[in-house]
Amino acid sequence: MTGDRNTTDATTTAPGGATGAPGGHVDVEAATAATGPGPALIRTAAALRALDRRGERAVVMTMGALHAGHAALIRAARDRVGPDGQVVVTVFVNPLQFGAGEDLDRYPRTLDADLLVAAQERADVVFAPSAEEVYPGGEPQVRISAGPMGERLEGASRPGHFDGMLTVVAKLLHLTAPDLALYGEKDAQQLALIRRMARDLNFPVRIAGVPTVREPDGLALSSRNRYLSGPERVTALALSRALAAGREAGTAAAAGTEPAAGKPAPAGDRAPSATPGAPVPVPAPEPSTVPVADPDAVRSAARAVLDEAAERQPPLVTDYLALVGPSDFTEVPADHRGEAVLAVAARVGTTRLIDNIRLQFGATR
């Protein structure tokens, strides 16, 4: 379920950095007057069931502390169901997703700001149940198992996380009864597992992915980004640089040319904290129809950027770099054709970040 650990303040990023507050954060009081009446706030499953339903219903599941990435999901939901449909945003901090060393009590609860973001993106309902409402008998004795895919990559780093995520997603799908559920592609493994669960267990819902929202310098948007110091942020840009380098190497292999040397981003795309001469990436694009080739070259080019960043101060500590199939998250072979996900996770200081892009090996049919 979409959410970021270690967020502590009560502000939220507005789409496009609106409202004029410093750093692109929402000034809640100023913006409330501009948005007018907001979505209905519902706390119980009974009240949600009693709600009049019109058109198609889309749900966006969050753990609150909404930022521009969440806003993009809500906006996409409204676009999908149209003005006559219904958009439900869930705000629930799921205790089952917090493992050892992840402090549930410190996770931010910013419901007033979340309601503002939901209003700005024309959501109809915010469903914000308590833990007792979602788990009336305490922690559930029967849970969803993520299976082998849930033990790879993110699952290996955070054991049990995906079991807790799928369990609450299943619960919320039952409680909200949507026709459509939307999730961010930044959490690619999560999205793949939700799609697999819906298919394997015959959930009557369509699952849709929404492209990753990026900051101007290419860093994937996350509420964790605010914890990066200036030097740490420069190091963290290696994630998107690595993905871009892998994509460029694959494109060059498909065209039979050499990849170009790393090019700096246009001046307008530089991170405010970047030091002069520091490498700043062109933001990694959404999947294109341009085919790539040679998975080994893709991995090698991406790995070279991460290795270079490991020598920086502060250093990048890579958790994993993987080129995997989008349906099972196993590594693709050297002769792979079709879609693949180039995924990376790394830590800078105390902040752990993830990112990915999708690549098409061989021409699309």
Side-chain angles (χ1 to χ4, degrees):
M1 194 166 59
T2 304
D4 289 302
R5 300 279 188 268
N6 303 326
T7 313
T8 56
D9 62 286
T11 57
T12 184
T13 305
T19 77
H25 294 299
V26 171
D27 181 325
V28 174
E29 292 184 2
T32 299
T35 58
L41 175 60
I42 292 180
R43 297 284 194 172
T44 68
L48 186 61
R49 284 194 297 270
L51 189 70
D52 287 339
R53 185 163 180 159
R54 64 177 194 274
E56 281 201 317
R57 176 181 285 179
V59 66
V60 173
M61 298 182 186
T62 82
M63 293 205 298
L66 304 188
H67 53 58
H70 299 107
L73 286 165
I74 302 169
R75 195 178 316 128
R78 171 55 65 200
D79 290 343
R80 294 288 189 98
V81 301
D84 297 327
Q86 193 173 66
V87 175
V88 177
V89 178
T90 70
V91 175
F92 177 63
V93 181
N94 178 30
L96 301 188
Q97 288 178 237
F98 288 76
E102 296 178 336
D103 191 352
L104 172 63
D105 293 333
R106 288 187 64 236
Y107 194 85
R109 275 73 169 176
T110 61
L111 186 58
D112 287 344
D114 296 342
L115 288 167
L116 175 60
V117 175
Q120 288 175 323
E121 301 304 334
R122 298 179 296 143
D124 299 293
V125 177
V126 170
F127 179 48
S130 65
E132 292 74 20
E133 182 71 19
V134 176
Y135 303 120
E139 287 198 7
Q141 298 301 300
V142 177
R143 307 188 186 196
I144 301 291
S145 171
M149 185 175 21
E151 298 172 358
R152 300 170 189 140
L153 301 185
E154 284 297 294
S157 297
R158 303 173 66 188
H161 165 73
F162 283 131
D163 292 351
M165 179 275 295
L166 288 179
T167 298
V168 77
V169 167
K171 293 272 287 187
L172 291 173
L173 286 175
H174 287 311
L175 293 173
T176 60
D179 301 289
L180 173 69
L182 298 93
Y183 303 90
E185 291 180 354
K186 173 173 168 282
D187 296 296
Q189 192 172 4
Q190 170 181 278
L191 176 57
L193 281 163
I194 292 170
R195 281 177 166 150
R196 189 62 184 249
M197 178 184 74
R199 185 180 69 183
D200 287 355
L201 301 184
N202 297 103
F203 278 78
V205 61
R206 305 191 310 278
I207 306 297
V210 176
T212 299
V213 176
R214 297 184 177 277
E215 301 206 30
D217 56 16
L219 195 64
L221 191 64
S222 168
S223 50
R224 295 178 181 182
N225 294 353
R226 73 187 70 185
Y227 292 99
L228 297 169
S229 67
E232 287 174 343
R233 187 182 178 94
V234 173
T235 296
L237 292 173
L239 274 74
S240 55
R241 286 183 59 231
L243 298 179
R247 183 196 62 243
E248 185 177 344
T251 302
T257 61
E258 290 294 323
K263 296 173 291 186
D269 284 340
R270 289 186 178 272
S273 58
T275 56
V280 181
V282 175
E286 300 310 323
S288 72
T289 56
V290 178
V292 298
D294 197 344
D296 290 341
V298 171
R299 292 185 181 100
S300 179
R303 173 62 65 183
V305 174
L306 300 177
D307 288 347
E308 178 186 3
E311 302 300 319
R312 282 186 165 273
Q313 291 299 325
L316 185 80
V317 180
T318 300
D319 185 349
Y320 61 77
L321 172 70
L323 183 62
V324 296
S327 63
D328 61 6
F329 272 66
T330 59
E331 290 281 354
V332 301
D335 60 352
H336 177 71
R337 293 182 66 83
E339 194 173 35
V341 177
L342 181 61
V344 61
R347 189 177 298 276
V348 186
T350 61
T351 304
R352 185 175 183 272
L353 302 170
I354 63 173
D355 203 351
N356 72 87
I357 56 171
R358 289 180 177 254
L359 300 173
Q360 177 66 39
F361 286 85
T364 56
R365 296 181 179 179

